Amino acid sequence: MFIPSIGYWPDHKTDMLLGDMSTWRSELKTTAYAIAPVTYKLIPPQDIAAQEKTQWVQNTASRLLTDSLFLRDGVDELGKTNNFAHPALKELVIKFFYMGSYQIADKCPNQFHKSVPLISVVLAGTALNCVLDGFTKNGASTLKMIPQFSGKEYQSTFQAMVKMLNEVLHYPYHGQKLCKQLNQWAQEGWLVCGNCCVIINYNMTIAANIETRAALHQVDTDVEQGSHLQVLLD
């Protein structure tokens, strides 16, 4: 089992998904579950018959998982795909890492003040995948119907998402766009949690993420990507 050691989290050398931190993972999953119905439009329309609502939710969630649509946000002004940019991903990152009860960003300002750490994006994406799995399988009318969010269940998804993120980062146009986006998310995160925001150039964001990129690259070797997970580098 690969356990990244990146130094983005003081006094912890284990990955936050694969490590023994069930309470931490539970809160991340709970936050993702609270965000998903509205942000992913999983609430059935009024004209859907009651007996068909569960199937409608399952089908909608399944389409979101197809080709990683749940991580994308359309295209930019040049018609290029916005990978790792879905509003649900952004909302989860800010609500959990910047505003959550663990006060993660506030306790780790050196890692979070310039940009959202790349590993945090992967963890949030994996949590959303877990939640959408629940909606796909059974409609997930309650949190208890969401699969267990553990390393045993989601290690392969986590690693596949790392592979995807590496593909984006190593593509000049999409890599620079992603780094600039994560800089902007960090600024918004500090603003909503009441702390001073540091405005920096996106090139500084790229430099700040070099160490994390190198660590992410380690898991990118011999990882079989999930069939539903892919980026679009157009």
Side-chain angles (χ1 to χ4, degrees):
M1 177 183 295
F2 173 80
I3 300 179
S5 175
I6 299 174
Y8 76 102
W9 200 281
D11 303 321
H12 289 286
K13 295 300 182 182
T14 57
D15 161 63
M16 295 296 103
L17 171 64
L18 307 181
D20 183 20
M21 301 189 72
S22 59
T23 302
W24 189 97
R25 295 195 307 270
S26 177
E27 182 166 326
L28 179 57
K29 183 178 80 169
T30 299
T31 306
Y33 179 76
I35 289 170
V38 174
T39 311
Y40 284 126
K41 297 179 174 60
L42 293 171
I43 301 174
Q46 293 290 335
D47 59 351
I48 300 295
Q51 65 272 21
E52 298 175 356
K53 289 184 184 296
T54 297
Q55 187 62 55
W56 184 93
V57 171
Q58 290 176 299
N59 292 341
T60 303
S62 179
R63 286 193 294 270
L64 286 165
L65 286 171
T66 302
D67 297 333
S68 305
L69 292 179
F70 73 103
L71 296 174
R72 300 179 190 168
D73 185 29
V75 298
D76 60 22
E77 62 277 7
L78 297 179
K80 306 291 187 180
T81 302
N82 292 318
N83 295 290
F84 287 97
H86 197 284
L89 182 63
K90 174 184 177 180
E91 185 174 350
L92 180 56
V93 164
I94 291 176
K95 283 191 173 180
F96 182 76
F97 291 100
Y98 288 86
M99 301 172 62
S101 62
Y102 284 89
Q103 300 179 313
I104 295 169
D106 194 50
K107 292 177 179 177
C108 310
N110 290 337
Q111 289 73 33
F112 283 84
H113 83 285
K114 293 180 179 179
S115 174
V116 175
L118 299 173
I119 285 292
S120 300
V121 177
V122 175
L123 286 167
T126 306
L128 288 169
N129 196 139
C130 172
V131 167
L132 288 173
D133 280 343
F135 280 104
T136 298
K137 292 175 182 176
N138 51 46
S141 58
T142 67
L143 181 60
K144 291 182 179 180
M145 300 174 76
I146 300 297
Q148 183 180 8
F149 186 46
S150 66
K152 179 180 179 180
E153 298 294 330
Y154 280 92
Q155 178 183 355
S156 60
T157 301
F158 172 86
Q159 292 180 327
M161 212 164 288
V162 168
K163 181 180 178 71
M164 292 168 57
L165 191 60
N166 265 320
E167 291 175 1
V168 174
L169 291 170
H170 285 88
Y171 194 99
Y173 178 84
H174 288 281
Q176 290 184 1
K177 182 171 70 170
L178 177 61
C179 287
K180 185 176 181 179
Q181 170 192 291
L182 297 182
N183 174 199
Q184 294 170 340
W185 286 10
Q187 293 178 29
E188 293 183 38
W190 287 119
L191 287 174
V192 296
C193 71
N195 285 315
C196 179
C197 177
V198 178
I199 307 298
I200 61 172
N201 184 273
Y202 77 89
N203 286 325
M204 295 176 65
T205 303
I206 296 173
N209 273 317
I210 287 177
E211 180 183 359
T212 308
R213 285 201 210 187
L216 285 175
H217 186 67
Q218 296 178 44
V219 76
D220 194 16
T221 304
D222 298 326
V223 172
E224 183 177 352
Q225 188 164 313
S227 60
H228 71 287
L229 293 172
Q230 61 176 310
V231 293
L232 187 57
L233 303 175
D234 43 13

